[in-house]
Amino acid sequence: MTEDVRRVGVVGGGAWGTAMALAALRAGRETVLWAREPAVVEAIRRDRENRDYLPGVPLPAELEATADPAGPAGCDAVLLVTPAQHLRSVAARLAPHLKPGTPAVICAKGIEIGTRALMTEAVAAVLPPGTPLAVLSGPTFAAEVARGLPTAVTLACADAALGARLLEALGSLTFRPYLTDDVIGAQVGGAVKNVLAIACGVVVGRRLGDNARAALITRGLAEITRLAVALGGRPETLMGLSGLGDLTLTCSSLQSRNMSLGAALGEGRALDDVLGERRSVAEGVYTARAVVALAGQLGVDMPICRAVDAILTGGAGVDETIRGLLSRPFREEEG
């Protein structure tokens, strides 16, 4: 039942945070949206629109907007929807205001640079001890969720009873969570698919064809699965929404921030120039480095992710990197 999840706080005023706030409203929850930028809060209050991050989507008067971290912290559950590399610091800012036992649902996808921590590990280090955690991941373009188009996601929670309450609290006719207890697998799928989407974008930008993109998706899924299993996740999780589903969406549409960035790189544009034009974050740019470091630590072979990181941070040329992947020894197909 949902008696204890009447009011939901959404932490993060970007496109995805705004979309999740609308999803919570449609599920019948009172909803408070916290944004770091006061100008975003003021625009939402005044114009009932987040023009900086989600233009063209009307925001109902029932949606509260605040720049005070105590606002969402007083709710029955909080959704953490900030960029992955800032999640730890934002959670630390929220922590003093959080009521004991308030569940935190992590909606950010990434692996922390430097620490190589999954998002649950980063958040657990700064939130009050014993804070119940869950992860929401899956194939989601923010604009479509915001407009109420049909969407299915994975809700991962080790506590089955809490997972069921959160599922009922967030689920609606057009936003359908599916429950799992594989928190690790759900996080790895959501993080690594952003790196692979950059690779698929490069394929599009270099006009290498749909065959090549399909091959990257398939072999990329094998890389995700290897890393998830090495960390303790289950391979079947990666066959679901937070793995194959998210990977397919992100690698098949230039709506994807990561795929469109890769396409620009494939066309020969410089990374700094592409990033300089954007307000939104392409998580794969930062996650690539963390994924490669974590894979090296665990002895997991991830050649596509290594190739993306070599282009992004190692100064490798696109054509040289593609040749390197195509020159790998022939082998049996396996996971």
Side-chain angles (χ1 to χ4, degrees):
M1 304 304 291
T2 61
E3 296 83 25
D4 58 343
V5 191
R6 293 191 179 96
R7 190 168 171 84
V8 171
V10 178
V11 180
W16 185 218
T18 307
M20 282 306 304
L22 288 169
L25 278 173
R26 291 192 188 101
R29 306 306 119 201
E30 298 176 15
T31 307
V32 180
L33 175 65
W34 175 86
R36 177 180 56 86
E37 301 163 274
V40 170
V41 173
E42 179 57 30
I44 291 173
R45 290 174 174 173
R46 182 186 64 243
D47 305 325
R48 306 316 305 175
E49 183 181 358
N50 189 343
R51 289 179 179 170
D52 285 341
Y53 295 103
L54 199 62
V57 177
L59 303 177
E62 293 80 11
L63 176 61
E64 299 178 35
T66 181
D68 181 359
C75 293
D76 301 315
V78 294
L79 310 184
L80 304 179
V81 202
T82 61
Q85 303 307 322
H86 300 289
L87 185 62
R88 184 190 294 258
S89 62
V90 171
R93 186 175 175 186
L94 178 74
H97 309 282
L98 201 63
K99 294 188 299 185
T102 302
V105 182
I106 299 168
C107 304
K109 300 174 181 178
I111 297 173
E112 205 172 47
I113 296 175
T115 66
R116 305 170 192 172
L118 298 179
M119 296 292 94
T120 48
E121 296 169 324
V123 165
V126 295
L127 288 184
T131 297
L133 297 179
V135 170
L136 189 145
S137 190
T140 50
F141 285 146
E144 295 188 9
V145 172
R147 298 204 308 272
L149 298 179
T151 300
V153 297
T154 295
L155 181 64
C157 186
D159 181 335
L162 173 61
R165 291 199 300 274
L166 292 170
L167 184 147
E168 290 295 329
L170 297 173
S172 67
L173 184 66
T174 58
F175 191 78
R176 298 182 53 81
Y178 287 77
L179 195 59
T180 180
D181 63 357
D182 186 3
V183 177
I184 291 175
Q187 289 182 90
V188 174
V192 181
K193 62 93 184 181
N194 285 326
V195 182
L196 298 169
I198 294 175
C200 284
V202 170
V203 166
V204 170
R206 269 298 194 267
R207 302 176 187 269
L208 298 179
D210 289 336
N211 291 350
R213 184 171 57 84
L216 272 180
I217 292 172
T218 308
R219 297 312 305 161
L221 182 60
E223 293 191 15
I224 293 175
T225 304
R226 286 197 292 267
L227 182 61
V229 169
L231 288 167
R234 300 194 299 268
E236 58 266 28
T237 303
L238 284 310
M239 298 300 110
L241 291 162
S242 60
L244 179 60
D246 206 358
L247 181 65
T248 300
L249 179 71
T250 314
C251 293
S252 302
S253 172
L254 291 175
Q255 280 191 71
S256 162
R257 302 168 187 173
N258 293 282
M259 187 175 179
S260 63
L261 182 140
L265 297 178
E267 291 167 354
R269 299 193 60 199
L271 176 62
D272 288 344
D273 291 341
V274 178
L275 294 177
E277 296 171 354
R278 300 180 171 205
R279 293 198 65 169
S280 57
V281 175
E283 295 280 14
V285 173
Y286 309 99
T287 300
R289 192 186 322 164
V291 165
V292 169
L294 184 58
Q297 174 186 319
L298 296 170
V300 175
D301 187 27
M302 302 185 74
I304 300 172
C305 290
R306 280 202 314 273
V308 172
D309 182 55
I311 292 171
L312 295 175
T313 64
V318 170
D319 291 332
E320 167 196 353
T321 304
I322 292 170
R323 280 195 298 271
L325 284 173
L326 294 176
S327 300
R328 285 170 56 82
F330 299 117
R331 52 177 288 183
E332 293 182 2
E333 185 176 26
E334 59 185 49

